[in-house]
Amino acid sequence: MKNRRWELPAVHRILDETAVGAFEARVGRAGVKRVVDAVLDRVRSSGTEASFEAIVASVLTRLHELAVETPSPLVNATGIILHTNLGRAPLAPDAIAEVERIACGYSNLEYDLERGERGSRHSGIAAALCEATGAQDGLVVNNCAAAVLLVLDTFAKGREVIVARNALVEIGGGFRIPEVLERSGARLVEVGTTNRVYLEDFERALSPRTALLLRTHPSNYRIEGFTHDVSGRELAELGRRAGVPVAEDLGSGALLDLAEYGAEHERTVREALADGIGLVTFSGDKLLGGPQAGIVVGRANLLARMRNNPLLRALRVDKLTLAALAATLRLYRDGSAAERIPLYRMLAASLDELRHRAQAYASAVPSARVVESDAYVGAGALPQSRIASVAVSVGTPVPDELAKALRSGTPPIVARIDEGRVVLDLRTIAPAEDELVIAALSAL
Ligand SMILES: *Cc1c(COP(=O)(O)O)cnc(C)c1O
């Protein structure tokens, strides 16, 4: 029964609201009207009453979403190098150039030039991954979560996966190992306790139903104190003896040693493979410094089974991702990754260099002073992966308002607030951005 006791407001009444009209300059008059129509349509079909103010608020929210182009560039002054909310790893110029070269025309994405017939999009990148990591074979999917899902779906559907209790964590974005396991139709067998896990715990849980032994990086979480863990090597050895594949979700996927950059050592892909782990999963846009992707490297016989999984078709990556990833991997091959990949350049910047740049800020902005700071690797790398850094700290009676004003600029600048001061860490600001950040601060 549509016996409405209330009337939807007329379109022109909403258009006459000053805040609504203000969006005409940004999305056009027709654009504003389409949003109003869409919101009224939604209210009408929901069948529930909404006040005039609530409808205008919905219209404004939608207009705002439409007017703010997403994604659009900004300045990361947080000091968190791989900031998950700010797009994680910036690409190397070489990867950007390769994306452009491939994007504007046709390519041999799935074409074998020698035979003149259909080829595989997976073969070229597999060779590059093997070279970069020392693995027997490699595969690329949409992201690391998809890589883990594909591993579980391929090996453990309807069977058991043994995981240590200390690994059952949620990492950012609601990615929880137990839930991914459940989705894949595998049965989780938890062993050990939250703080202490021994190899015997895994041994005791082995059964004819065991499909996989899984090790995961605790990501942005840490258990300290009275602890015991099973090493990758021990687990790989147990898997070999029991004839059960062993997978490790590294997440970050470091190919270089972070300790050389003054951060905590992060287990590298090569180390995991050298320990004998059969399948190693990691992200393309964390410590690798490439595009969003999920990478699986490991034993050829295991990868072959994953390649035959029909789910791979739904998780596959496009040519632009492959182009950027291949170009990024070539930098590792040439030994120029550390100079060319932005995240390693940020990590390598010396304190003197940062201090020198910060002085320029302090001389131009009277309320700014140069301070010591801690930058972070971020993106689920070790949480204590802190790197000494230098920041500009701006004194203001209204830090929230200053931070908001910086975020509203073009481009927006995202800073952090520390003890009532607005702090901009120089490590994540590109030197080429200094001038515009100084201009924005001066203007405020
Ligand atoms: C970040 C992370 C993931 C998820 O990676 P995405 O590429 O964001 O899907 C999975 N596992 C671990 C351990 C991670 O750190």
Side-chain angles (χ1 to χ4, degrees):
M1 277 287 164
K2 279 270 152 74
N3 201 357
R4 229 188 269 113
R5 284 173 285 110
W6 63 288
E7 290 289 325
L8 279 173
V11 173
H12 73 85
R13 268 189 71 204
I14 301 173
L15 290 174
D16 285 347
E17 286 289 304
T18 321
V20 173
F23 276 92
E24 280 182 19
R26 292 166 78 183
V27 302
R29 191 172 167 74
V32 173
K33 178 145 188 315
R34 271 195 297 275
V35 167
V36 172
D37 287 341
V39 168
L40 287 177
D41 194 44
R42 205 170 51 189
V43 173
R44 191 179 297 115
S45 58
S46 80
T48 45
E49 193 165 337
S51 68
F52 180 73
E53 290 71 27
I55 292 172
V56 170
S58 298
V59 166
L60 288 173
T61 303
R62 284 284 284 270
L63 283 169
H64 189 75
E65 286 163 358
L66 193 63
V68 176
E69 287 170 15
T70 310
S72 67
L74 54 73
V75 176
N76 174 9
T78 64
I80 300 168
I81 296 176
L82 294 171
H83 198 304
T84 301
N85 303 142
L86 305 183
R88 281 199 198 158
L91 288 181
D94 314 73
I96 298 161
E98 188 63 359
V99 168
E100 195 174 351
R101 196 168 76 94
I102 296 304
C104 65
Y106 299 103
S107 60
N108 64 343
L109 178 68
E110 290 190 352
Y111 189 72
D112 186 326
L113 284 167
E114 199 170 87
R115 293 202 235 150
E117 58 189 42
R118 187 175 196 281
S120 160
R121 74 172 61 210
H122 299 292
S123 54
I125 200 73
L129 285 169
C130 292
E131 190 188 36
T133 64
Q136 292 175 359
D137 197 2
L139 190 60
V140 181
V141 290
N142 186 51
N143 57 13
C144 187
V148 173
L149 180 68
L150 189 65
V151 167
L152 295 173
D153 186 88
T154 306
F155 296 95
K157 211 182 186 127
R159 298 182 64 203
E160 293 179 356
V161 179
I162 309 180
V163 189
R165 281 210 170 80
N166 66 5
L168 297 176
V169 298
E170 171 178 323
I171 58 175
F175 180 81
R176 296 173 167 182
I177 287 287
E179 287 174 7
V180 179
L181 260 160
E182 197 181 314
R183 273 274 141 186
S184 68
R187 202 174 83 75
L188 169 68
V189 178
E190 302 173 31
V191 297
T193 59
T194 305
N195 58 331
R196 290 174 86 84
V197 184
Y198 298 90
L199 193 63
E200 300 86 78
D201 296 323
F202 278 91
E203 267 174 321
R204 267 200 305 274
L206 281 169
S207 87
R209 294 175 303 277
T210 307
L212 191 74
L213 306 181
L214 179 65
R215 198 168 188 264
T216 65
H217 190 295
S219 207
N220 33 25
Y221 179 76
R222 182 155 222 225
I223 300 166
E224 284 179 25
F226 186 61
T227 61
H228 189 275
D229 207 354
V230 176
S231 74
R233 182 161 295 228
E234 288 172 308
L235 201 64
E237 175 61 23
L238 177 63
R240 206 181 51 75
R241 271 191 281 133
V244 176
V246 180
E248 176 164 351
D249 179 28
L250 275 182
S252 299
L255 297 186
L256 301 178
D257 184 359
L258 276 198
E260 286 180 21
Y261 296 87
E264 183 118 336
H265 174 75
E266 177 89 24
R267 184 166 162 83
T268 65
V269 177
R270 267 184 196 275
E271 282 168 353
L273 291 168
D275 276 347
I277 304 288
L279 292 163
V280 179
T281 52
F282 55 99
S283 288
D285 57 345
K286 288 184 179 174
L287 287 174
L288 188 75
Q292 179 190 302
I295 298 165
V296 193
V297 292
R299 298 244 169 80
N301 61 330
L302 301 177
L303 266 297
R305 283 176 63 189
M306 293 183 69
R307 234 182 227 113
N308 286 331
N309 187 334
L311 190 58
L312 178 59
R313 177 62 181 77
L315 304 177
R316 78 180 188 188
V317 287
D318 77 322
K319 62 187 175 186
L320 304 185
T321 300
L322 283 173
L325 184 59
T328 305
L329 290 171
R330 282 197 284 273
L331 296 175
Y332 285 93
R333 184 180 68 194
D334 302 345
S336 55
E339 293 102 75
R340 305 290 293 171
I341 294 177
L343 96 92
Y344 287 98
R345 283 236 301 272
M346 289 180 217
L347 281 169
S350 74
L351 289 175
D352 276 348
E353 200 178 324
L354 298 178
R355 215 170 278 126
H356 183 74
R357 287 171 51 207
Q359 298 295 356
Y361 283 65
S363 346
V365 186
S367 55
R369 62 167 198 250
V370 180
V371 295
E372 290 185 355
S373 174
D374 284 327
Y376 292 89
V377 174
L382 297 169
Q384 69 276 30
S385 255
R386 193 181 293 161
I387 305 125
S389 189
V390 176
V392 173
S393 165
V394 185
T396 161
V398 283
D400 292 317
E401 278 171 37
L402 177 60
K404 187 169 182 202
L406 287 170
R407 289 199 306 274
S408 333
T410 315
I413 299 163
V414 181
R416 55 173 210 255
I417 296 176
D418 249 0
E419 292 171 2
R421 294 175 72 88
V422 175
V423 176
L424 297 96
D425 196 302
L426 272 284
R427 200 171 282 281
T428 49
I429 302 175
E433 293 167 337
D434 282 345
E435 211 171 306
L436 67 90
V437 178
I438 290 172
L441 284 172
S442 308
L444 293 165

